[in-house]
Amino acid sequence: MNKDQCRTILRTALTGGALDPKNAVRSAMATLGGMPIALTGLASATGCRVSVVYGASDCGSTDGKVIKLMNLPIPADKSDIDTLVLMTSLAYGLGYHELGHVSESDFKVLKQLKDVTPLVDSLFRIIEDVRMENAFIGKWPNTRKYLDSLTQSLYLTDRYTHVAAEASPMEALTGYLLYRLYCDYRGDVGTKELALEAHAVCESKFSKGFMTRLDALLPQLDQLANTADSLTMAKNIAGFIEKAKDEMEQQQSNQPQQPSGDAGQDGQQGQDGQGSQDGQGDSDGSGDNQGQKGAQDAPQAAADGSGDSQGQKGKSDAGNAGGSPPDGSGDAAGSGDNPAVAALQSILDPSNTDKRAGERSDAIREALQQVVNQVAPRSNGQLKMDSPAMHVNVASVTTAINTHTNDDCDLGAALAVTSPLRRSFRRNMEAASTAEVSIHRKGRRMSASHIHRVAAGDSRVFKSVSEEIELDTAVVLGIDASYSMKGDKIKLTCEAVYASAVALEGIEGVTCGAFTFPLNTIVLPFGRKAKHVPGQFQLHASGSTPMDDGVYLGIRMLQAQRKPRKVMILTTDGEPNSDRVESTKAAVEYALSQGIEVAVMGTYGATNICNFENWVDLHDISQLPSVVTQLFGRKHLKAA
């Protein structure tokens, strides 16, 4: 597996294969920005909540009720796409992996692991991860992309490595099972090369016969229905290993002897049917009763009962002849040494601390912390995984009444511009759709697909297009009610948003909602009329400016609406908290990637710190109709 190939795979999976560096950055930021909504939303669907932790020790852990995730630094250097993509892949992967446990694993069974051997524990964690992820992907197919990308991410951070010939037996066996089960039974082909390499190493350590019999047990995984089944399969494999070790030891001490008259014949086939023509047993001395070629004095080769169980080739002086282990370092027969037996014994030894594969959340957690430590020193703010905006009930059609109204807000002046404002909204939000194309002999527009008729003397080459006007749009209005908006700014903002809400609700096919931040309050749920609750729009300014929270709340409100076109209009002074600028940009990129149009009205010459693409200044309520025309004129044509 090549690391450059891994980076290419990750880029393609998480940025859509964008070739333009600018588009790749935007796509990567959109993927990062969508993480709070994706993970907290799925956590809610699986019946748990997200809790933010600091540091790696508890990150990714879950008890089935709470999943612990860490906030992520946002890189200052946006040109380093590979690092951004790697961090995003690991964070999504860790979140979805643990949510998979919440959804599919039985935590009562997990508590039983304290009573099993280290080998069973390691085998179970591999098996349960594969079973659990399969079941989770079946319920939530969109998670496959991120769970599959973990293979490349863990390889790039050296958590997934090639199993080398010098690997310990434990490392070789558990590594093989990890890669093989993910490849063949989870459908993650990224581990195929690693599995093949590990298989070859395991054959050299345990024998072909052993690996053949082990592989025959693995299809059981397709039949596992729950966590208890995973534990049973782990115990079965551990039992098989112990039995295989015992059989090797027994064969080693009780090697059958053959009459010398059979010495020149082909060796008998062993228990696993793999006897070779010259009587040589498994190349690693696995202990199967392979055929033997005896020498005239071969019967005394195992006279002391300690000879190797490998097939032996007689020699004229073969009184102590014996097979050699695959690495050629074994003792002669009679020494009692068998590398395969020793390898299996080390695996079964509960005190063995050799490196082993296990539940991969440990590897993901360590890899994520490694990348975060790399990014954090040169970051601009953090992506908050547990934004309060994620816990607002956007499906509610009722809201708390504003009992502390701001009487400075002149809603009468707002209603005075409602009629021209409604006309501006209607004119600039109408979407023309093609209803029918017909071909005629006269007209002003030629049809390129019918021009060939001229050669045949057919003048029916002019087309006419009838169009239907569609206006099926959800609009959410966001009010920046932070302390920096005090005085005239909050007054103008409340009036403008109220006038917009009243104007929009009078347009057939348009539905409107409104919210405020930093309190993340829905002041107008979708389905309610603004003119019935004017006091909801008379707000006081207070608090900081977590604009990213506001954007996330607006996204969630729009995603709950079944409208083909979705628009978010923010009214703000453009000054979010300094540590929220980059996270706000990421949230907006996510909104745009979801097909949501984002427009901003900046009050009284506000500074466009977040570089919103569609920004218009608002200085007076009377300007509102023309401001709406500026916001939607060009953007409408592009969106439609």
Side-chain angles (χ1 to χ4, degrees):
M1 185 179 291
N2 182 283
K3 289 194 173 183
D4 287 336
Q5 292 176 333
C6 288
R7 295 186 184 95
T8 300
I9 292 172
L10 282 181
R11 274 202 186 197
T12 302
L14 273 66
T15 69
L19 298 178
D20 187 301
K22 182 178 179 180
N23 291 338
V25 170
R26 296 192 63 172
S27 183
M29 288 298 292
T31 302
L32 179 67
M35 196 178 304
I37 285 183
L39 294 183
T40 57
L42 195 50
S44 177
T46 55
C48 76
R49 65 182 180 85
V50 170
S51 173
V52 173
V53 298
Y54 300 91
S57 58
D58 291 330
C59 180
S61 62
T62 179
D63 59 0
K65 297 179 181 179
V66 176
I67 176 174
K68 298 180 180 179
L69 301 174
M70 64 191 305
N71 293 330
L72 299 177
I74 300 177
D77 181 9
K78 301 299 191 303
S79 63
D80 187 3
I81 299 295
D82 289 325
T83 300
L84 175 58
V85 166
L86 178 59
M87 182 180 70
T88 303
S89 169
L90 289 166
Y92 267 107
L94 180 60
Y96 285 143
H97 181 83
E98 293 305 316
L99 285 171
H101 278 303
V102 172
S103 174
E104 306 301 328
S105 293
D106 185 341
F107 284 79
K108 292 181 180 178
V109 176
L110 297 180
K111 292 179 180 179
Q112 300 176 20
L113 296 181
K114 64 180 182 297
D115 299 323
V116 302
T117 65
L119 174 61
V120 171
D121 180 85
S122 184
L123 295 175
F124 165 78
R125 294 184 185 280
I126 295 170
I127 294 167
E128 175 63 5
D129 279 354
V130 174
R131 184 205 66 80
M132 170 275 292
E133 286 189 11
N134 270 340
F136 190 61
I137 291 171
K139 291 182 179 179
W140 307 96
N142 290 338
T143 63
R144 176 181 286 278
K145 173 176 71 174
Y146 297 100
L147 290 172
D148 283 354
S149 74
L150 283 173
T151 294
Q152 285 74 36
S153 302
L154 292 172
Y155 184 77
L156 287 171
T157 53
D158 297 322
R159 265 63 188 183
Y160 277 7
T161 58
H162 297 271
V163 175
E166 61 271 17
S168 69
M170 178 67 81
E171 181 181 0
L173 181 65
T174 57
Y176 167 67
L177 289 173
L178 174 70
Y179 302 142
R180 169 73 188 276
L181 294 182
Y182 266 96
C183 179
D184 287 2
Y185 300 95
R186 235 282 277 119
D188 185 356
V189 296
T191 62
K192 181 178 181 179
E193 181 181 330
L194 296 172
L196 290 173
E197 291 176 343
H199 188 273
V201 173
C202 286
E203 279 192 343
S204 71
K205 293 181 180 295
F206 310 116
S207 86
K208 291 183 179 180
F210 173 86
M211 293 304 295
T212 299
R213 294 161 65 191
L214 173 63
D215 288 343
L217 298 175
L218 302 186
Q220 295 177 17
L221 201 147
D222 282 335
Q223 310 303 319
L224 304 185
N226 50 45
T227 307
D229 287 349
S230 295
L231 184 55
T232 298
M233 182 175 175
K235 290 179 178 178
N236 288 343
I237 292 178
F240 157 73
I241 294 173
E242 185 168 9
K243 183 179 179 181
K245 188 265 298 183
D246 291 343
E247 289 176 351
M248 290 182 189
E249 289 180 329
Q250 183 65 29
Q251 293 164 358
Q252 183 173 290
S253 60
N254 298 295
Q255 176 64 37
Q257 301 177 16
Q258 295 185 23
S260 59
D262 293 336
Q265 304 298 322
D266 288 345
Q268 293 178 334
Q269 189 177 26
Q271 291 179 0
D272 61 356
Q274 296 183 10
S276 59
Q277 289 184 352
D278 65 354
Q280 182 72 30
D282 276 350
S283 62
D284 50 11
S286 64
D288 293 331
N289 286 331
Q290 304 286 352
Q292 303 175 350
K293 266 188 179 182
Q296 290 182 356
D297 53 353
Q300 73 180 60
D304 58 357
S306 61
D308 288 340
S309 60
Q310 300 179 67
Q312 301 177 355
K313 218 173 187 181
K315 296 182 181 179
S316 59
D317 56 349
N320 61 350
S324 299
D327 60 1
S329 62
D331 295 335
S335 67
D337 292 336
N338 187 325
V341 172
L344 295 180
Q345 181 60 55
S346 71
I347 291 174
L348 294 166
D349 184 356
S351 64
N352 186 354
T353 59
D354 286 344
K355 178 182 177 182
R356 69 182 68 199
E359 185 179 19
R360 70 171 176 171
S361 62
D362 295 335
I364 306 169
R365 183 187 307 114
E366 293 171 1
L368 178 59
Q369 185 64 48
Q370 173 184 324
V371 178
V372 166
N373 290 342
Q374 177 184 345
V375 173
R378 46 189 180 85
S379 63
N380 286 336
Q382 289 185 327
L383 185 76
K384 307 290 185 181
M385 296 305 301
D386 191 26
S387 164
M390 304 303 165
H391 304 290
V392 178
N393 182 7
V394 298
S396 174
V397 294
T398 61
T399 188
I401 301 299
N402 179 18
T403 59
H404 184 48
T405 58
N406 183 356
D407 295 333
D408 291 338
C409 298
D410 187 354
L411 300 187
L415 290 176
V417 300
T418 299
S419 293
L421 181 59
R422 181 177 294 118
R423 289 193 296 271
S424 179
F425 269 121
R426 185 192 301 275
R427 181 173 58 253
N428 289 288
M429 294 179 66
E430 288 176 340
S433 63
T434 300
E436 183 180 355
V437 177
S438 56
I439 306 301
H440 307 276
R441 287 185 171 85
K442 297 180 180 180
R444 301 178 63 183
R445 299 164 62 185
M446 297 188 68
S447 172
S449 60
H450 295 87
I451 197 69
H452 66 278
R453 292 181 176 181
V454 175
D458 188 347
S459 60
R460 292 178 299 164
V461 294
F462 296 92
K463 68 178 179 180
S464 65
V465 181
S466 62
E467 295 179 335
E468 292 182 349
I469 300 300
E470 291 184 348
L471 192 53
D472 197 10
T473 305
V475 180
V476 68
L477 307 170
I479 303 172
D480 179 355
S482 61
Y483 184 75
S484 63
M485 294 283 288
K486 65 183 183 297
D488 290 340
K489 289 182 181 180
I490 191 64
K491 176 179 181 297
L492 175 60
T493 296
C494 290
E495 293 170 359
V497 172
Y498 178 67
S500 298
V502 173
L504 287 166
E505 68 190 24
I507 303 175
E508 185 178 357
V510 175
T511 182
C512 178
F515 66 91
T516 179
F517 60 94
L519 296 180
N520 299 300
T521 302
I522 298 178
V523 297
L524 181 68
F526 281 101
R528 297 289 300 277
K529 299 293 185 181
K531 60 186 177 183
H532 293 163
V533 287
Q536 295 293 92
F537 294 85
Q538 294 177 287
L539 304 171
H540 289 276
S542 63
S544 60
T545 314
M547 194 177 293
D548 51 346
D549 287 348
V551 175
Y552 282 128
L553 180 54
I555 293 172
R556 293 186 63 234
M557 291 177 68
L558 288 171
Q559 287 179 334
Q561 301 302 304
R562 296 184 177 181
K563 294 285 187 178
R565 188 180 184 192
K566 298 178 173 66
V567 178
M568 184 190 308
I569 304 174
L570 301 176
T571 306
T572 177
D573 63 357
E575 298 181 16
N577 296 354
S578 59
D579 64 339
R580 297 295 188 103
V581 173
E582 292 301 321
S583 57
T584 299
K585 292 179 181 179
V588 170
E589 288 294 351
Y590 174 68
L592 296 174
S593 73
Q594 298 301 299
I596 296 173
E597 300 170 52
V598 180
V600 183
M601 292 187 291
T603 55
Y604 292 110
T607 302
N608 186 5
I609 295 176
C610 293
N611 299 318
F612 292 103
E613 294 180 348
N614 195 14
W615 171 291
V616 177
D617 290 324
L618 177 66
H619 295 271
D620 190 88
I621 190 66
S622 64
Q623 299 176 328
L624 195 53
S626 61
V627 165
V628 167
T629 298
Q630 295 178 59
L631 282 175
F632 288 98
R634 291 176 292 103
K635 290 293 179 181
H636 157 66
L637 294 176
K638 185 176 181 180

